[in-house]
Amino acid sequence: ETGVTQTPRHLVMGMTNKKSLKCEQHLGHNAMYWYKQSAKKPLELMFVYSLEERVENNSVPSRFSPECPNSSHLFLHLHTLQPEDSALYLCASSREGASLRGYTFGSGTRLTVV
Amino acid sequence: DQQVKQNSPSLSVQEGRISILNCDYTNSMFDYFLWYKKYPAEGPTFLISISSIKDKNEDGRFTVFLNKSAKHLSLHIVPSQPGDSAVYFCAASSSGAGSYQLTFGKGTKLSVIP
């Protein structure tokens, strides 16, 4: 148990579907993150929320829509995705921003777009 | 342009010997450096970190060395154990208020042979 829980673990969706990824943490952390891991690429930061306010959006296409209703929950809403969006999507949280304590990651959602 | 580079995609080491994983960075603003370990089907877990004011940090079998002039860091694992077999990610960030970006390398897959 990492303290950051992601659901679902696996998701297969068609290009016209709408789905949501969920992330939950009860570590008392103030910041939450969405990362994308594609094959043979570094982890790419997508969004950052600090105290429920979005503080970073790294040029992510609008077909990805994050939502942070409270400091414990983070969602990633997906619609009209492309096959190249297939990847491992990782949620993370931290007590503050960048620090030597690092982030706590969830186990990820393996997304396949068909 | 990759700011954090791990040039060895894989490394094989005999059990009991030393594993040395290398990482180079280009951004001179980075002053926090972290190593993460990732098993298949799990999220990355924080392993060890170092700030730019130090050149070495040790935690049990794991030691991280930082050479600021060369913009290079390395992770030493001594002695290596089969359970250390995983993908190791190097990450870096700059400190300061409002800093949330943690930049990752592509990872090095370590295989420890019994």
Side-chain angles (χ1 to χ4, degrees):
Chain A
E1 175 57 56
T2 65
V4 177
T5 303
Q6 288 187 245
T7 53
R9 291 295 304 272
H10 301 273
L11 177 62
V12 178
M13 61 186 287
M15 290 189 282
T16 57
N17 290 161
K18 288 185 180 181
K19 295 286 184 184
S20 296
L21 310 184
K22 180 182 176 182
C23 177
E24 188 171 350
Q25 62 91 7
H26 296 288
L27 300 168
H29 289 171
N30 296 324
M32 296 187 77
Y33 312 79
W34 280 116
Y35 273 86
K36 175 184 178 182
Q37 186 183 21
S38 304
K40 299 182 180 176
K41 283 188 172 183
L43 275 75
E44 300 170 74
L45 179 64
M46 300 175 73
F47 301 104
V48 181
Y49 277 83
S50 174
L51 297 171
E52 300 148 47
E53 180 183 343
R54 192 190 310 181
V55 295
E56 284 208 33
N57 173 351
N58 278 7
S59 303
V60 179
S62 58
R63 57 185 183 269
F64 294 91
S65 174
E67 179 190 2
C68 187
N70 55 62
S71 59
S72 298
H73 293 86
L74 184 66
F75 294 89
L76 188 63
H77 304 299
L78 316 171
H79 64 98
T80 59
L81 294 191
Q82 305 298 311
E84 59 265 28
D85 297 322
S86 299
L88 180 67
Y89 289 85
L90 289 160
C91 174
S93 69
S94 67
R95 188 169 299 281
E96 55 210 30
S99 79
L100 290 168
R101 284 189 289 271
Y103 302 162
T104 302
F105 281 88
S107 297
T109 295
R110 173 68 63 185
L111 174 68
T112 304
V113 181
V114 296
Chain B
D1 182 34
Q2 264 192 276
Q3 297 185 68
V4 176
K5 297 178 185 178
Q6 293 177 258
N7 292 320
S8 298
S10 63
L11 174 69
S12 287
V13 171
Q14 206 73 32
E15 180 179 4
R17 307 294 290 268
I18 184 171
S19 295
I20 300 177
L21 297 100
N22 293 303
C23 177
D24 297 292
Y25 63 96
T26 58
N27 189 338
S28 57
M29 299 299 291
F30 288 151
D31 53 2
Y32 288 162
F33 303 92
L34 302 91
W35 284 95
Y36 280 82
K37 175 179 178 180
K38 184 180 184 301
Y39 292 118
E42 294 183 16
T45 55
F46 171 72
L47 196 55
I48 192 170
S49 62
I50 189 169
S51 88
S52 59
I53 61 172
K54 291 187 170 184
D55 54 19
K56 176 183 174 181
N57 188 28
E58 192 172 349
D59 183 3
R61 296 186 297 115
F62 302 91
T63 303
V64 56
F65 295 92
L66 176 62
N67 181 334
K68 287 186 291 293
S69 60
K71 292 192 175 69
H72 177 83
L73 65 154
S74 60
L75 174 68
H76 292 211
I77 307 174
V78 183
S80 301
Q81 299 173 354
D84 296 328
S85 297
V87 177
Y88 289 79
F89 292 97
C90 173
S93 70
S94 56
S95 60
S99 174
Y100 295 92
Q101 180 84 270
L102 191 59
T103 302
F104 285 84
K106 289 184 180 182
T108 297
K109 183 177 182 179
L110 173 66
S111 299
V112 180
I113 304 159

